[in-house]
mmCIF file of all heavy atoms in Angstrom:
data_model
loop_
_atom_site.group_PDB
_atom_site.id
_atom_site.type_symbol
_atom_site.label_atom_id
_atom_site.label_comp_id
_atom_site.label_asym_id
_atom_site.label_seq_id
_atom_site.Cartn_x
_atom_site.Cartn_y
_atom_site.Cartn_z
ATOM 1 N N VAL A 1142 11.241 -8.994 -11.163
ATOM 2 C CA VAL A 1142 11.077 -10.358 -11.727
ATOM 3 C C VAL A 1142 9.799 -11.060 -11.099
ATOM 4 O O VAL A 1142 8.984 -11.617 -11.844
ATOM 5 C CB VAL A 1142 12.245 -11.298 -11.360
ATOM 6 C CG1 VAL A 1142 12.058 -12.677 -11.864
ATOM 7 C CG2 VAL A 1142 13.543 -10.726 -12.151
ATOM 8 N N THR A 1143 9.509 -10.802 -9.837
ATOM 9 C CA THR A 1143 8.462 -11.561 -9.233
ATOM 10 C C THR A 1143 7.135 -10.661 -8.927
ATOM 11 O O THR A 1143 6.136 -11.162 -8.636
ATOM 12 C CB THR A 1143 8.852 -12.107 -7.855
ATOM 13 O OG1 THR A 1143 9.400 -11.014 -7.016
ATOM 14 C CG2 THR A 1143 9.947 -13.159 -7.991
ATOM 15 N N VAL A 1144 7.303 -9.270 -9.024
ATOM 16 C CA VAL A 1144 6.217 -8.430 -8.863
ATOM 17 C C VAL A 1144 6.287 -7.280 -9.769
ATOM 18 O O VAL A 1144 7.347 -6.838 -10.340
ATOM 19 C CB VAL A 1144 6.124 -7.822 -7.392
ATOM 20 C CG1 VAL A 1144 5.806 -8.995 -6.439
ATOM 21 C CG2 VAL A 1144 7.314 -7.100 -6.953
ATOM 22 N N ASN A 1145 5.164 -6.663 -10.131
ATOM 23 C CA ASN A 1145 5.229 -5.429 -10.959
ATOM 24 C C ASN A 1145 5.450 -4.195 -10.118
ATOM 25 O O ASN A 1145 5.432 -4.287 -8.852
ATOM 26 C CB ASN A 1145 3.985 -5.299 -11.788
ATOM 27 C CG ASN A 1145 2.664 -4.900 -10.990
ATOM 28 O OD1 ASN A 1145 2.737 -4.029 -10.295
ATOM 29 N ND2 ASN A 1145 1.649 -5.651 -11.225
ATOM 30 N N ALA A 1146 5.698 -3.095 -10.765
ATOM 31 C CA ALA A 1146 6.161 -1.917 -10.248
ATOM 32 C C ALA A 1146 5.192 -1.277 -9.199
ATOM 33 O O ALA A 1146 5.522 -0.514 -8.283
ATOM 34 C CB ALA A 1146 6.496 -0.873 -11.202
ATOM 35 N N HIS A 1147 3.826 -1.673 -9.300
ATOM 36 C CA HIS A 1147 2.857 -0.981 -8.408
ATOM 37 C C HIS A 1147 2.256 -1.890 -7.333
ATOM 38 O O HIS A 1147 1.335 -1.481 -6.626
ATOM 39 C CB HIS A 1147 1.692 -0.476 -9.443
ATOM 40 C CG HIS A 1147 2.126 0.732 -10.248
ATOM 41 N ND1 HIS A 1147 2.717 0.533 -11.468
ATOM 42 C CD2 HIS A 1147 2.050 2.059 -10.016
ATOM 43 C CE1 HIS A 1147 3.039 1.712 -11.933
ATOM 44 N NE2 HIS A 1147 2.605 2.693 -11.071
ATOM 45 N N GLU A 1148 2.765 -3.052 -7.203
ATOM 46 C CA GLU A 1148 2.217 -3.903 -6.194
ATOM 47 C C GLU A 1148 2.334 -3.313 -4.828
ATOM 48 O O GLU A 1148 1.435 -3.378 -3.974
ATOM 49 C CB GLU A 1148 2.974 -5.287 -6.238
ATOM 50 C CG GLU A 1148 2.722 -6.125 -7.413
ATOM 51 C CD GLU A 1148 1.421 -6.910 -7.289
ATOM 52 O OE1 GLU A 1148 0.867 -6.842 -6.247
ATOM 53 O OE2 GLU A 1148 1.164 -7.699 -8.220
ATOM 54 N N ALA A 1149 3.499 -2.747 -4.560
ATOM 55 C CA ALA A 1149 3.708 -2.283 -3.144
ATOM 56 C C ALA A 1149 2.799 -1.142 -2.779
ATOM 57 O O ALA A 1149 2.278 -0.997 -1.684
ATOM 58 C CB ALA A 1149 5.214 -1.833 -3.013
ATOM 59 N N ILE A 1150 2.583 -0.154 -3.774
ATOM 60 C CA ILE A 1150 1.754 0.958 -3.414
ATOM 61 C C ILE A 1150 0.300 0.621 -3.426
ATOM 62 O O ILE A 1150 -0.500 1.146 -2.591
ATOM 63 C CB ILE A 1150 1.994 2.114 -4.515
ATOM 64 C CG1 ILE A 1150 1.469 3.475 -3.899
ATOM 65 C CG2 ILE A 1150 1.317 1.865 -5.842
ATOM 66 C CD1 ILE A 1150 2.327 3.908 -2.732
ATOM 67 N N ILE A 1151 -0.092 -0.381 -4.181
ATOM 68 C CA ILE A 1151 -1.439 -0.899 -4.055
ATOM 69 C C ILE A 1151 -1.748 -1.482 -2.654
ATOM 70 O O ILE A 1151 -2.760 -1.212 -2.001
ATOM 71 C CB ILE A 1151 -1.712 -1.994 -5.152
ATOM 72 C CG1 ILE A 1151 -1.802 -1.308 -6.480
ATOM 73 C CG2 ILE A 1151 -3.009 -2.761 -4.818
ATOM 74 C CD1 ILE A 1151 -1.734 -2.325 -7.652
ATOM 75 N N ARG A 1152 -0.737 -2.198 -2.142
ATOM 76 C CA ARG A 1152 -0.847 -2.766 -0.760
ATOM 77 C C ARG A 1152 -0.824 -1.641 0.252
ATOM 78 O O ARG A 1152 -1.726 -1.703 1.256
ATOM 79 C CB ARG A 1152 0.433 -3.681 -0.553
ATOM 80 C CG ARG A 1152 0.484 -4.241 0.860
ATOM 81 C CD ARG A 1152 -0.563 -5.167 1.236
ATOM 82 N NE ARG A 1152 -0.377 -5.670 2.554
ATOM 83 C CZ ARG A 1152 -1.399 -6.307 3.224
ATOM 84 N NH1 ARG A 1152 -2.479 -6.616 2.691
ATOM 85 N NH2 ARG A 1152 -1.122 -6.771 4.466
ATOM 86 N N LEU A 1153 0.015 -0.657 0.101
ATOM 87 C CA LEU A 1153 0.012 0.492 1.029
ATOM 88 C C LEU A 1153 -1.268 1.202 1.031
ATOM 89 O O LEU A 1153 -1.891 1.508 2.113
ATOM 90 C CB LEU A 1153 1.183 1.421 0.776
ATOM 91 C CG LEU A 1153 1.318 2.567 1.728
ATOM 92 C CD1 LEU A 1153 1.494 2.190 3.122
ATOM 93 C CD2 LEU A 1153 2.295 3.570 1.256
ATOM 94 N N ARG A 1154 -1.835 1.554 -0.130
ATOM 95 C CA ARG A 1154 -3.148 2.264 -0.186
ATOM 96 C C ARG A 1154 -4.249 1.416 0.540
ATOM 97 O O ARG A 1154 -5.117 1.961 1.185
ATOM 98 C CB ARG A 1154 -3.575 2.479 -1.634
ATOM 99 C CG ARG A 1154 -2.714 3.479 -2.349
ATOM 100 C CD ARG A 1154 -3.160 3.830 -3.741
ATOM 101 N NE ARG A 1154 -2.242 4.571 -4.515
ATOM 102 C CZ ARG A 1154 -2.146 5.850 -4.468
ATOM 103 N NH1 ARG A 1154 -2.881 6.660 -3.736
ATOM 104 N NH2 ARG A 1154 -1.328 6.519 -5.381
ATOM 105 N N GLY A 1155 -4.275 0.031 0.361
ATOM 106 C CA GLY A 1155 -5.313 -0.750 0.967
ATOM 107 C C GLY A 1155 -5.080 -0.656 2.520
ATOM 108 O O GLY A 1155 -6.125 -0.577 3.235
ATOM 109 N N LEU A 1156 -3.817 -0.696 3.075
ATOM 110 C CA LEU A 1156 -3.668 -0.584 4.499
ATOM 111 C C LEU A 1156 -4.136 0.805 4.984
ATOM 112 O O LEU A 1156 -4.749 0.868 6.134
ATOM 113 C CB LEU A 1156 -2.174 -0.758 4.802
ATOM 114 C CG LEU A 1156 -1.616 -2.190 4.520
ATOM 115 C CD1 LEU A 1156 -0.110 -2.159 4.709
ATOM 116 C CD2 LEU A 1156 -2.207 -3.225 5.445
ATOM 117 N N LEU A 1157 -3.904 1.840 4.241
ATOM 118 C CA LEU A 1157 -4.236 3.127 4.731
ATOM 119 C C LEU A 1157 -5.618 3.383 4.857
ATOM 120 O O LEU A 1157 -6.112 4.322 5.512
ATOM 121 C CB LEU A 1157 -3.580 4.207 3.843
ATOM 122 C CG LEU A 1157 -2.040 4.193 3.751
ATOM 123 C CD1 LEU A 1157 -1.594 5.348 2.812
ATOM 124 C CD2 LEU A 1157 -1.510 4.508 5.117
ATOM 125 N N ALA A 1158 -6.530 2.547 4.247
ATOM 126 C CA ALA A 1158 -7.982 2.769 4.316
ATOM 127 C C ALA A 1158 -8.498 2.662 5.676
ATOM 128 O O ALA A 1158 -9.516 3.279 5.998
ATOM 129 C CB ALA A 1158 -8.667 1.758 3.387
ATOM 130 N N THR A 1159 -7.743 1.925 6.491
ATOM 131 C CA THR A 1159 -8.181 1.738 7.918
ATOM 132 C C THR A 1159 -7.101 1.979 8.996
ATOM 133 O O THR A 1159 -7.375 1.773 10.174
ATOM 134 C CB THR A 1159 -8.699 0.180 8.105
ATOM 135 O OG1 THR A 1159 -7.698 -0.636 7.736
ATOM 136 C CG2 THR A 1159 -9.945 -0.058 7.244
ATOM 137 N N ASP A 1160 -5.934 2.457 8.546
ATOM 138 C CA ASP A 1160 -4.845 2.638 9.452
ATOM 139 C C ASP A 1160 -4.877 3.931 10.035
ATOM 140 O O ASP A 1160 -4.967 4.967 9.427
ATOM 141 C CB ASP A 1160 -3.465 2.397 8.732
ATOM 142 C CG ASP A 1160 -2.446 2.181 9.666
ATOM 143 O OD1 ASP A 1160 -1.926 3.100 10.412
ATOM 144 O OD2 ASP A 1160 -1.817 1.056 9.735
ATOM 145 N N PRO A 1161 -4.786 4.103 11.412
ATOM 146 C CA PRO A 1161 -4.835 5.370 12.079
ATOM 147 C C PRO A 1161 -3.654 6.255 11.705
ATOM 148 O O PRO A 1161 -3.709 7.558 12.001
ATOM 149 C CB PRO A 1161 -4.795 5.016 13.495
ATOM 150 C CG PRO A 1161 -4.148 3.632 13.622
ATOM 151 C CD PRO A 1161 -4.631 2.851 12.383
ATOM 152 N N ARG A 1162 -2.610 5.742 11.150
ATOM 153 C CA ARG A 1162 -1.351 6.515 10.756
ATOM 154 C C ARG A 1162 -1.540 7.211 9.409
ATOM 155 O O ARG A 1162 -0.713 7.916 9.000
ATOM 156 C CB ARG A 1162 -0.167 5.714 10.891
ATOM 157 C CG ARG A 1162 0.159 5.127 12.251
ATOM 158 C CD ARG A 1162 1.144 3.985 12.221
ATOM 159 N NE ARG A 1162 0.563 2.773 11.570
ATOM 160 C CZ ARG A 1162 1.115 1.551 11.787
ATOM 161 N NH1 ARG A 1162 2.241 1.386 12.470
ATOM 162 N NH2 ARG A 1162 0.524 0.520 11.141
ATOM 163 N N ALA A 1163 -2.647 6.934 8.769
ATOM 164 C CA ALA A 1163 -2.875 7.366 7.362
ATOM 165 C C ALA A 1163 -2.816 8.860 7.227
ATOM 166 O O ALA A 1163 -2.276 9.339 6.150
ATOM 167 C CB ALA A 1163 -4.184 6.856 6.864
ATOM 168 N N PRO A 1164 -3.216 9.749 8.096
ATOM 169 C CA PRO A 1164 -3.202 11.154 7.866
ATOM 170 C C PRO A 1164 -1.779 11.712 7.665
ATOM 171 O O PRO A 1164 -1.666 12.800 7.084
ATOM 172 C CB PRO A 1164 -3.815 11.756 9.125
ATOM 173 C CG PRO A 1164 -4.800 10.661 9.624
ATOM 174 C CD PRO A 1164 -4.018 9.397 9.351
ATOM 175 N N GLY A 1165 -0.741 11.008 8.144
ATOM 176 C CA GLY A 1165 0.599 11.502 7.885
ATOM 177 C C GLY A 1165 1.200 11.023 6.701
ATOM 178 O O GLY A 1165 2.375 11.503 6.436
#
């Protein structure tokens, strides 16, 4: 109702650009 299906993964991909945990 309040967000579309891809909002969460877009947010995660943005975080992974600089997050040291991204390789896993």
Side-chain angles (χ1 to χ4, degrees):
V1142 175
T1143 56
V1144 295
N1145 71 49
H1147 289 87
E1148 292 276 359
I1150 200 66
I1151 291 169
R1152 173 67 179 170
L1153 180 62
R1154 289 185 191 277
L1156 294 171
L1157 293 178
T1159 57
D1160 195 291
R1162 297 165 291 195

